[in-house]
Amino acid sequence: MRQKAETGMLTGVLGLIERLGNRLPDPVTIFALLTAIVVVASVIAGRLGASAVHPITQELIAAQNLLAPDLIRRWLIEVPQIFVTFPPLALGLVVMFGAGVAEKTGLLSAALRALVLTVPAPLLTPTLAFAGVMSSLAADAGYVVLIPLGAALFAAAGRHPIAGLAVAFAGVSGGFSANLLITPLDPLLFGITEASAQFIDPEWTANIAGNYYFMLAFTPVIVTVATLVTEGFIAPKLGEWRPSADLPIKVGDSALNREEKRGLRWAGLTALGFCIVVAVMVAPAGGVLRGEGGSFDPFFKSLGTLFFFLFLLAAIAFGVAVKTVTSDRDVVAMAVEAMKDMSGYITLAFVAAQFIALFGWSNLAPLTAIGGASLINGVGASPLLILVSLIALSATLNLLMGSASAKWAIIGPVVVPMLMLSGLSPEVATAAYRIGDSVTNIITPLMFYFPLILVFAQRYAPATGLGSLIAVMTPFALAFMVAGTLLLAAWIVLDIPLGPGGAIPQYILTPGG
């Protein structure tokens, strides 16, 4: 892969990052510490009399001491309500009910394998990248199925398996901000965006499809860039591969059996039928999912629930066909298992919800946003420069903290209001964050699945080390960063909607939002 000295240098740098990252506490603890910091900061700001004029309402905003008796009483009473009304919690759990069952029945695994295994050899690289991007509908399935499958398919074609592993990894993890569909991450991120935006505009509500047009356009960009990097740089650099006699994975091991093919047909027909029903509810001006004046607002707001039913019904159809579902008890058991997988997020959501609520009560968020916006406007920073800085910030934080929603819950309450006051919408702030957050997934050893992917690589190339894998993936990360930044810049310059429902890059400061 790389020369020994070069790999050693990379390993040394990554070893430092790993040691620093391992010293960080659990994200739940981080939010608890941040909450304590907010409390202390509110006491100091309150005693200093920190205040600012709200640029929309012209109301004087003063810092609130969170240790004041009335706020202590309020918090103790409202802790349960703060938790259950945390926007990312409900939407995320609803979507994951369906997506989790789809994963447990084997539907997502079979669908990904079918996509990859039915394409001609010249299209193998872009198809692997595309399948990786689409796998963000259920991230775990992509990591544990598609990445080793990519290595196996390249090996079977006589190509270097590390190149196949790399392009699949780039699509699965580096392409996490692109998709042809709304993913489970959308309601999580936009729930935090909504709570953050309401510090400035209490009437602002999130549409979980607020980045959909951008995600749609970013998908072919990711696929194209991943293909060019693989074929133009990674594959030539890796050189010829000579398979050993004990090749660990055969292509035949990944082929769909008769039951899985039948299951995919059943799932496809079920999904088609469901989409037809939804279309009937949306297409007519007086449809069930149309609002006042023919508005599509009810449809957009119900997307989370619709995806829940889409995943669930298709999963049941697949499960019945392949006999992973033999009774209603199986579906319930799978849903329970899916919620077990979300237990860590539920715990994190509880602490994050308290942090965001207390941050809001303290008025530190709008004060920081107003001060930051004044500073930005004072130095004349352009919107593009602001967003590039946000992309770089989220990419850097992602090297040490993997959870996309956890990082956004930390920086969103400051970044979103600040950008709104600088004329940039919550949707474009979310899009910029997502670009930076996704592109460095593939070069951080602190990402949960990174050690597993290293093991996959070592099955074909035993000498592969941590630095070797990072060296292979770095060109993808840099190319994705440049491509995503340029695409977002074009979106802003051309003022293209980021999603349906008026999700434009600009945010106009007007009374009442």
Side-chain angles (χ1 to χ4, degrees):
M1 290 188 175
R2 288 219 182 228
Q3 297 298 323
K4 184 176 180 181
E6 195 172 355
T7 302
M9 180 185 66
L10 286 171
T11 303
V13 173
L14 291 171
L16 175 62
I17 295 175
E18 186 172 10
R19 287 193 297 273
L20 293 175
N22 286 339
R23 292 177 183 175
L24 290 174
D26 186 90
V28 173
T29 307
I30 290 175
F31 273 110
L33 293 173
L34 287 173
T35 302
I37 292 172
V38 164
V39 171
V40 173
S42 74
V43 173
I44 297 173
R47 290 183 177 178
L48 293 176
S51 64
V53 176
H54 195 293
I56 298 177
T57 65
Q58 300 302 308
E59 175 188 1
L60 181 67
I61 301 174
Q64 299 297 308
N65 181 352
L66 291 173
L67 293 183
D70 58 333
L71 287 180
I72 292 177
R73 288 192 296 269
R74 179 184 177 186
W75 180 70
L76 291 174
I77 292 171
E78 296 186 15
V79 163
Q81 182 181 358
I82 291 170
F83 175 49
V84 299
T85 58
F86 188 47
L89 179 66
L91 279 173
L93 292 181
V94 167
V95 174
M96 282 308 299
F97 259 119
V101 173
E103 183 177 356
K104 303 300 180 184
T105 60
L107 169 60
L108 293 178
S109 173
L112 289 173
R113 287 155 54 212
L115 177 62
V116 172
L117 291 168
T118 56
V119 299
L123 297 179
L124 184 57
T125 299
T127 301
L128 272 172
F130 175 69
V133 170
M134 295 303 295
S135 75
S136 61
L137 292 168
D140 288 354
Y143 284 114
V144 301
V145 175
L146 190 61
I147 292 174
L149 181 60
L153 291 176
F154 265 56
R159 303 187 61 186
H160 205 300
I162 302 302
L165 177 143
V167 69
F169 186 17
V172 170
S173 205
F176 221 70
S177 293
N179 210 287
L180 299 184
L181 299 172
I182 301 299
T183 73
L185 184 62
D186 288 272
L188 299 183
L189 293 184
F190 271 101
I192 296 169
T193 300
E194 178 176 283
S196 303
Q198 289 178 349
F199 289 145
I200 295 299
D201 182 359
E203 301 299 321
W204 194 89
T205 56
N207 172 7
I208 67 169
N211 283 164
Y212 178 63
Y213 295 162
F214 182 80
M215 290 169 57
L216 199 65
F218 202 22
T219 299
V221 171
I222 288 288
V223 172
T224 301
V225 170
T227 301
L228 292 175
V229 170
T230 302
E231 301 297 347
F233 185 78
I234 299 300
K237 176 176 173 294
L238 291 171
E240 183 182 357
W241 177 67
R242 296 179 180 176
S244 61
D246 57 344
L247 190 64
I249 301 175
K250 309 295 183 183
V251 173
D253 294 339
S254 300
L256 295 171
N257 57 40
R258 182 179 301 175
E259 289 75 17
E260 287 174 320
K261 292 178 180 178
R262 182 174 65 247
L264 288 177
R265 287 195 297 270
W266 287 23
L269 290 173
T270 302
L272 177 61
F274 179 79
C275 291
I276 291 173
V277 171
V278 172
V280 170
M281 299 169 72
V282 174
V288 174
L289 292 178
R290 297 288 286 272
E292 184 177 351
S295 161
F296 288 95
D297 193 51
F299 169 66
F300 295 138
K301 290 183 176 180
S302 64
L303 280 174
T305 305
L306 293 175
F307 274 105
F308 157 70
F309 281 114
L310 176 62
F311 283 129
L312 181 63
L313 294 175
I316 292 173
F318 179 87
V320 170
V322 301
K323 297 182 174 57
T324 55
V325 172
T326 58
S327 72
D328 61 301
R329 295 180 185 274
D330 293 328
V331 178
V332 173
M334 290 174 183
V336 170
E337 286 298 315
M339 288 302 100
K340 286 181 181 178
D341 294 341
M342 293 292 286
S343 60
Y345 175 72
I346 294 171
T347 304
L348 177 62
F350 174 79
V351 186
Q354 308 306 318
F355 163 72
I356 289 180
L358 292 174
F359 195 32
W361 294 357
S362 70
N363 281 340
L364 293 177
L367 290 176
T368 304
I370 293 170
S374 299
L375 178 63
I376 290 172
N377 293 332
V379 300
S382 68
L384 289 178
L385 180 60
I386 298 171
L387 291 175
V388 169
S389 300
L390 175 55
I391 292 172
L393 172 64
S394 60
T396 302
L397 290 176
N398 194 46
L399 292 172
L400 298 175
M401 186 177 182
S403 172
S405 56
K407 289 193 299 294
W408 191 226
I410 291 173
I411 67 175
V414 173
V415 168
V416 171
M418 185 172 68
L419 295 188
M420 290 173 70
L421 294 175
S422 300
L424 294 170
S425 70
E427 292 91 349
V428 79
T430 308
Y433 168 76
R434 296 174 75 161
I435 293 170
D437 175 68
S438 64
V439 298
T440 50
N441 282 334
I442 52 180
I443 59 172
T444 171
L446 302 182
M447 195 269 287
F448 183 76
Y449 286 99
F450 202 91
L452 178 63
I453 295 162
L454 183 60
V455 171
F456 290 153
Q458 290 172 342
R459 298 178 73 184
Y460 291 94
T464 303
L466 188 64
S468 301
L469 184 56
I470 291 291
V472 168
M473 299 312 300
T474 296
F476 291 101
L478 295 176
F480 288 168
M481 173 79 83
V482 172
T485 303
L486 291 177
L487 184 64
L488 188 61
W491 230 261
I492 295 171
V493 170
L494 299 175
D495 197 24
I496 304 172
L498 290 146
I504 60 174
Q506 280 73 39
Y507 179 80
I508 308 300
L509 292 173
T510 58

